[in-house]
């Protein structure tokens, strides 16, 4: 009967299955719990103190003016500026005035992207005098005593989030899978980058290892002869191993999806996203991992050794991952992604668009079945080493 | 004994690349007999057995068990065949009972009576984890699983390896009982005394080729005596050129020969000479097997 080997597989491996299930759902749940901690950092911000600094472009010049309440105890101002938001390359020492002009390099209609920050350099002697007269709040004194106090920032362009700048780099496209509408300050985008983008490694490496050991362990431990002294057809043996791992995997993905959904709900960030979205996005990876199981079993029956098959399988998974990620980063090799299984698990379609791509699912499932048939065919006709 | 072959091998050849495991092997194992399969290490015993059970794919030849093709009908054959591999492992973390129940259920047998009987008889504690058992106890697990499904043919590769002499005796009794109950047993062995004690017939394989297949009793008849004689005078070697005398060798007045038959005539001819000294030695089965192992298949 079909289920006997499955029962034996679960009896043999239940501890490993349970530990891995706990690890994966814990990581999935914890990732969600990180979101509120960093959410604020991901939110798009105003430039600090931009209400105190004004910028006008006219007559080919950029005119910066500022308003600073503590002007009388300010010795002078410094205006730093740069073409990027980190303001690292240029520094202008201003007079004791509240205006500074800069030459506009581009046109007034399309000015260059430049950032400006005004810093008040305090007159510490006057500060001491005013402190004696108790005209300055105690909290301010501590800050003023440092000598330099930021007044505010302004820019020729709408301020952008530093994270957005990073995400637009080729490096970060690896993690966004090329989706420009993906935002880290939204829970779907956050989970896409922080969990889904490396989920193939988290689950794939372990499930690949399990699949190799499932068959290879019987080679290594010399159990094959005993197993096949019973009237167990070889194809059934492979099928039962595959079904065992496939059903464990399905449960793992289902629980992970539920945990992610429940975790998002627990922090109150569902914001209209259904729990089922997370479940479906997880379950849509099922055939991709079935392909990994089939590949692992194929390597095992070909190489007839766990050690060699583990190396080949892990190499396959890592190569797939690197090609997939590098394809997003380097346009010239983007075509290679079509040969990677991760390309056909488009979790962003489910998370961001609410669209489950059936064609990809069927393609991966078909690949897994074809590889499984090849595995059975080879195993059916091969010698079992003594 | 019924002359119906349960296991019939014709022209079996198995090659591992350029290496020949078994070459042109013909062998019949008949219903209700214990057939011993002897040979030195690497002779091809395990290869033959594993080809019979479809664990190895034949390069050439035909193996039929119960009249069924060993490859095409492997599942049907295994329903009726118990097998003890020479080198095997099981699930170290599981209890022996769990493993045996699993194997029994795979064979489609629900009656566990024989499993318990065999365990008791071989003093095997099936409540222990397999990984915690000694080598001898692991071998007992193998023997129990080979016989517990009460199948018609039992194939064993060195079945008593690792067992103490007392347990070996118990196993021999078990094998004979099973045979007496109509089972057919085909077993390889290194232990000549085991073959002599248990087997009805023996097949000897050497360098991948079958050397001889004989009844144990016939082999004993063929064993012959080794005669060593010191004559007082020169003798004519032709005197001992006769049926039943083999390997005659004369060195001066010192003669050696093997007498397999016609002993009475040999003694009469010797008595016509002046004999200074004479020794008379009977071959043991061990010596006989050794000659097959070492002489390239011609026996003595």
């Amino acid at each position: 009967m079909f289920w006997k080997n499955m029962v034996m597989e679960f009896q043999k491996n239940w501890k490993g299955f349970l530990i891995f299930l706990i690890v994966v759902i814990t990581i999935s749940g914890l990732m969600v719990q990180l979101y509120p901690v960093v959410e604020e950092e991901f939110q798009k911000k105003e430039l600090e103190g931009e209400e105190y600094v004004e910028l006008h472009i006219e007559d080919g010049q950029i005119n910066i003016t500022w308003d600073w309440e503590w002007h009388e105890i300010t010795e002078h101002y410094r205006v730093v500026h740069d073409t990027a938001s980190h303001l690292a390359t240029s520094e202008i020492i201003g007079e004791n005035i509240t205006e500074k002009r800069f030459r506009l390099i581009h046109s007034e209609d399309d000015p260059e992207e430049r950032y400006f920050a005004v810093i008040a350099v305090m007159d510490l002697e006057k500060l001491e005098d005013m402190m004696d007269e108790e005209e300055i709040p105690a909290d301010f004194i501590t800050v003023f005593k440092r000598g330099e106090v930021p007044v505010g920032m302004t820019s020729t362009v709408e301020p952008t989030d530093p994270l957005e700048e990073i995400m637009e780099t080729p490096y970060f496209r690896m993690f966004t899978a090329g989706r420009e509408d993906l935002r880290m300050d939204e829970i779907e985008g956050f989970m896409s980058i922080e969990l889904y983008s490396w989920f193939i490694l988290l689950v794939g490496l372990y499930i690949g290892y399990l699949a190799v050991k499932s068959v290879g362990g019987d080679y290594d431990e010399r159990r094959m002869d005993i197993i096949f002294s019973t009237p167990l057809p070889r194809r059934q043996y492979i099928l039962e191993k595959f079904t065992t791992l496939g059903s464990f995997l399905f449960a793992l993905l289902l629980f992970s999806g539920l945990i992610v959904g429940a975790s998002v709900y627990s922090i109150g960030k569902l914001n209209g996203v259904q729990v089922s979205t997370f479940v479906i996005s997880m379950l849509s990876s099922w055939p991709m991992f079935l392909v990994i199981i089939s590949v692992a079993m194929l390597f095992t029956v070909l190489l007839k050794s766990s050690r060699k098959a583990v190396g080949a399988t892990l190499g396959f998974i890592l190569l797939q991952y690197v090609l997939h990620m590098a394809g997003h980063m380097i346009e010239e090799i983007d075509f290679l992604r079509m040969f990677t299984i991760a390309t056909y698990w488009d979790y962003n379609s489910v998370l961001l668009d609410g669209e489950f791509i059936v064609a990809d699912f069927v393609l991966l499932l078909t690949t897994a079945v074809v590889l499984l048939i090849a595995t059975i065919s080879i195993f059916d006709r091969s010698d079992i080493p003594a | 004994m019924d002359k119906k072959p349960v296991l019939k091998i014709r022209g079996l050849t198995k090659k591992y690349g350029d290496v020949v495991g078994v070459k042109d092997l013909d062998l019949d194992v008949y219903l209700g007999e214990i057939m011993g399969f002897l040979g030195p290490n690497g002779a091809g015993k395990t290869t033959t057995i594993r080809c019979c059970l479809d664990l190895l794919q034949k390069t050439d030849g035909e193996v039929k068990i119960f009249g069924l093709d060993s490859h095409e009908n492997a599942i049907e054959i295994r329903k009726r065949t118990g097998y003890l591999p020479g080198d095997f492992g099981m699930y170290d973390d599981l209890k022996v009972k769990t493993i045996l129940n699993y194997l029994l259920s795979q064979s489609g047998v629900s009656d566990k009576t024989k499993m318990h009987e065999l365990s008791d008889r071989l003093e095997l504690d099936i409540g222990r984890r397999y990984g915690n058992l000694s080598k001898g106890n692991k071998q007992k697990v193998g023997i129990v699983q080979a016989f517990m499904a009460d199948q018609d043919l039992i194939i064993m590769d060195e079945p008593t390896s690792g067992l103490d002499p007392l347990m070996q005796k118990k196993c021999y009794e078990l094998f004979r009982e099973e045979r007496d109950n109509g089972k057919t047993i085909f077993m390889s062995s290194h232990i000549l005394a085991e073959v002599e004690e248990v087997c009805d017939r023996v097949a000897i394989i050497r360098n991948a080729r079958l050397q001889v297949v004989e009844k144990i009793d016939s082999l004993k008849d063929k064993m012959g005596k080794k005669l060593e004689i010191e004559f007082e005078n020169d003798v004519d070697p032709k005197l001992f050129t006769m049926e039943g005398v083999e390997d005659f060798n004369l060195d001066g007045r010192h003669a050696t020969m093997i007498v397999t038959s016609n002993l009475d005539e040999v003694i009469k001819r010797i008595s016509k000479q002046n004999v200074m000294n004479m020794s008379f030695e009977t071959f043991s089965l061990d010596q006989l097997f050794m000659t097959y192992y070492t002489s390239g298949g011609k026996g003595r």
Side-chain angles (χ1 to χ4, degrees):
Chain A
M1 270 187 268
F2 192 78
W3 51 269
K4 285 173 189 163
N5 244 355
M6 289 180 65
V7 171
M8 179 52 91
E9 282 298 298
F10 277 115
Q11 275 187 303
K12 197 175 58 164
N13 294 316
W14 72 270
K15 285 179 194 165
F17 284 174
L18 187 63
I19 290 168
F20 188 64
L21 182 70
I22 291 169
V23 167
V24 172
I25 63 176
T26 303
I27 289 174
S28 303
L30 277 180
M31 279 299 170
V32 177
Q33 296 301 320
L34 288 179
Y35 177 69
V37 180
V38 291
E39 181 189 16
E40 201 176 325
E41 295 297 316
F42 293 154
Q43 296 286 356
K44 188 174 176 178
K45 293 190 182 106
E46 303 292 309
L47 289 176
E48 192 171 345
E50 74 175 348
E51 65 269 31
Y52 301 118
V53 183
E54 281 193 25
L55 180 146
H56 298 285
I57 297 174
E58 56 187 8
D59 302 332
Q61 287 193 316
I62 302 167
N63 190 30
I64 310 289
T65 57
W66 57 91
D67 181 21
W68 175 239
E69 189 183 350
W70 308 97
H71 184 68
E72 58 185 287
I73 56 169
T74 303
E75 185 184 286
H76 64 271
Y77 297 94
R78 285 201 298 132
V79 179
V80 291
H81 71 133
D82 203 344
T83 51
S85 56
H86 47 75
L87 302 165
T89 59
S90 179
E91 181 177 302
I92 304 294
I93 306 296
E95 305 294 331
N96 191 13
I97 50 174
T98 57
E99 183 181 15
K100 179 70 185 170
R101 285 175 181 273
F102 295 90
R103 189 168 61 86
L104 181 66
I105 299 168
H106 291 179
S107 69
E108 288 181 20
D109 297 333
D110 184 21
E112 68 272 17
E113 182 180 347
R114 290 174 82 179
Y115 291 84
F116 301 89
V118 178
I119 297 165
V121 179
M122 307 307 291
D123 184 331
L124 296 178
E125 283 182 16
K126 285 182 183 174
L127 177 64
E128 291 288 330
D129 294 343
M130 287 184 77
M131 279 165 56
D132 294 342
E133 293 166 19
E134 296 181 346
E135 290 177 18
I136 305 173
D139 291 349
F140 281 41
I141 292 170
T142 313
V143 176
F144 288 175
K145 274 188 167 178
R146 291 177 191 154
E148 291 192 357
V149 182
V151 173
M153 290 179 70
T154 189
S155 173
T156 54
V157 294
E158 281 293 310
T160 57
D161 189 333
L163 185 70
E164 270 187 23
E165 288 180 19
I166 295 170
M167 286 177 70
E168 284 168 10
T169 64
Y171 172 75
F172 226 75
R173 280 208 298 274
M174 290 196 305
F175 302 103
T176 59
R179 290 286 297 242
E180 289 175 2
D181 55 342
L182 189 149
R183 293 194 54 85
M184 282 280 276
D185 56 359
E186 290 169 359
I187 186 67
E188 302 96 313
F190 175 79
M191 292 308 292
S192 171
I193 288 173
E194 295 296 330
L195 182 66
Y196 287 75
S197 67
W198 61 284
F199 201 68
I200 184 173
L201 291 184
L202 175 67
V203 175
L205 291 176
Y206 183 70
I207 207 75
Y209 174 80
L210 265 186
V212 168
K213 292 304 283 185
S214 168
V215 176
D218 289 336
Y219 281 122
D220 299 344
E221 303 297 324
R222 306 175 321 281
R223 289 191 288 259
M224 286 290 191
D225 275 28
I226 290 283
I227 290 168
F228 291 109
S229 70
T230 66
L232 173 69
R234 292 194 191 188
R235 65 180 69 90
Q236 186 180 330
Y237 167 84
I238 294 288
L239 272 175
E240 286 193 69
K241 299 267 185 188
F242 182 84
T243 312
T244 306
L245 290 172
S247 45
F248 162 67
L249 186 62
F250 190 87
L252 177 86
L253 297 172
L254 179 66
F255 279 120
S256 297
L258 284 171
I259 288 291
V260 169
S263 219
V264 172
Y265 174 78
S266 75
I267 59 170
K269 298 292 179 184
L270 272 177
N271 301 333
V273 182
Q274 302 289 317
V275 171
S276 60
T277 300
F278 296 106
V279 175
I280 292 168
S281 60
M282 279 287 179
L283 286 178
S284 63
S285 69
W286 189 55
M288 178 184 69
F289 291 119
L290 290 184
V291 172
I292 289 177
I293 293 174
S294 292
V295 167
M297 288 185 167
L298 182 60
F299 280 139
T300 311
V301 300
L302 280 173
L303 300 171
K304 295 174 184 172
S305 151
S306 285
R307 195 165 46 83
K308 292 176 190 167
V310 163
T313 303
L314 299 193
F316 166 79
I317 296 167
L318 290 172
L319 182 66
Q320 289 272 317
Y321 184 73
V322 168
L323 279 181
H324 179 69
M325 297 305 250
H328 282 302
M329 195 167 75
I330 306 164
E331 215 168 295
E332 288 76 8
I333 61 166
D334 191 36
F335 71 96
L336 289 175
R337 285 197 306 109
M338 68 185 288
F339 302 111
T340 68
I341 51 175
T343 299
Y344 303 98
W345 175 40
D346 191 356
Y347 45 85
N348 284 326
S349 289
V350 182
L351 288 171
L352 306 179
D353 310 330
E355 187 188 351
F356 172 68
I357 303 175
V358 178
D360 285 352
F361 190 88
V362 171
L363 180 68
L364 285 171
L365 204 57
T366 307
T367 307
V369 170
V370 168
L371 288 168
L372 183 66
I373 290 169
T375 304
I376 289 171
S377 173
I378 290 167
F379 187 61
D380 232 2
R381 285 178 290 163
S382 66
D383 287 348
I384 291 175
Chain B
M1 189 188 299
D2 192 338
K3 277 288 184 185
K4 188 179 172 187
V6 170
L7 169 63
K8 186 175 178 179
I9 303 173
R10 290 292 176 271
L12 175 65
T13 299
K14 172 65 185 175
K15 291 181 182 173
Y16 304 96
D18 294 334
V19 179
V20 179
V22 176
K23 178 81 175 167
D24 278 334
L25 189 133
D26 293 343
L27 185 65
D28 288 330
V29 179
Y30 297 111
L31 182 67
E33 74 167 341
I34 301 178
M35 166 68 95
F37 197 33
L38 275 170
N41 288 334
K45 302 187 297 293
T46 301
T47 298
T48 304
I49 285 175
R50 298 182 85 246
C51 281
C52 291
L53 290 161
D54 200 37
L55 296 166
L56 297 177
Q57 309 293 310
K58 303 182 290 279
T59 304
D60 200 6
E62 183 184 69
V63 177
K64 292 211 167 192
I65 300 179
F66 309 117
L68 302 168
D69 182 84
S70 66
H71 179 68
E72 298 297 324
N73 309 102
I75 303 301
E76 284 305 307
I77 288 169
R78 280 191 250 141
K79 283 179 184 169
R80 298 177 60 189
T81 307
Y83 171 48
L84 169 62
D87 186 19
F88 64 92
M90 291 193 188
Y91 306 97
D92 283 353
D93 294 337
L94 299 184
K95 289 182 177 176
V96 173
K97 189 177 181 178
T98 308
I99 298 168
L100 293 178
N101 282 335
Y102 160 69
L103 294 171
L104 206 53
S105 68
Q106 285 287 16
S107 297
V109 178
S110 55
D111 185 2
K112 294 168 187 168
T113 312
K114 191 158 186 180
M115 178 182 95
H116 290 292
E117 279 176 6
L118 288 165
S119 304
D120 291 344
R121 183 168 177 172
L122 299 181
E123 299 162 28
L124 175 67
D125 180 1
I126 60 174
R128 293 181 63 189
R129 287 187 195 284
Y130 181 78
N132 294 338
L133 296 181
S134 66
K135 187 176 187 302
N137 278 324
K138 285 178 178 171
Q139 190 66 17
K140 289 183 198 173
V141 177
I143 293 171
V144 170
Q145 68 82 31
F147 284 96
M148 68 183 177
D150 211 19
Q151 287 144 318
D152 299 321
L153 171 66
I154 311 294
I155 297 178
M156 297 184 286
D157 196 353
E158 298 179 16
T160 59
S161 163
L163 297 180
D164 62 60
L166 200 64
M167 195 50 67
Q168 284 181 357
K169 287 281 179 194
K170 285 192 176 188
C171 287
Y172 300 157
E173 284 170 23
L174 171 68
F175 300 163
R176 283 191 295 259
E177 272 182 36
E178 291 289 329
R179 175 199 54 197
D180 295 344
N181 290 331
K183 306 290 163 57
T184 305
I185 296 176
F186 179 45
M187 56 182 267
S188 77
S189 180
H190 274 308
I191 308 169
L192 304 173
E194 176 174 282
V195 172
E196 191 175 357
E197 184 168 347
V198 177
C199 298
D200 302 305
R201 289 197 305 146
V202 63
I204 298 176
I205 186 171
R206 181 175 177 271
N207 288 343
R209 288 174 184 276
L210 192 68
Q211 305 298 313
V212 67
V213 182
E214 277 287 357
K215 287 183 179 177
I216 291 288
D217 292 340
S218 305
L219 274 178
K220 283 177 179 171
D221 290 342
K222 279 186 175 181
M223 283 189 301
K225 328 279 183 207
K226 184 180 179 185
L227 269 179
E228 199 169 350
I229 311 151
E230 191 77 42
F231 294 102
E232 188 179 29
N233 305 308
D234 292 341
V235 292
D236 182 1
K238 288 179 184 169
L239 191 65
F240 296 98
T241 307
M242 57 184 291
E243 194 182 333
V245 174
E246 296 174 13
D247 296 349
F248 180 82
N249 186 38
L250 186 63
D251 183 11
R253 293 172 185 171
H254 181 256
T256 57
M257 70 189 86
I258 306 295
V259 183
T260 56
S261 62
N262 233 351
L263 183 60
D264 181 60
E265 181 59 28
V266 173
I267 298 293
K268 281 175 183 165
R269 292 188 185 192
I270 292 170
S271 67
K272 289 174 184 167
Q273 310 296 318
N274 291 331
V275 175
M276 300 287 289
N277 200 2
M278 187 169 87
S279 69
F280 200 68
E281 184 190 349
T282 303
F283 268 114
S284 70
L285 206 53
D286 274 14
Q287 285 170 302
L288 185 69
F289 286 143
M290 284 305 167
T291 60
Y292 279 111
Y293 277 21
T294 57
S295 67
K298 293 179 181 175
R300 290 177 311 271

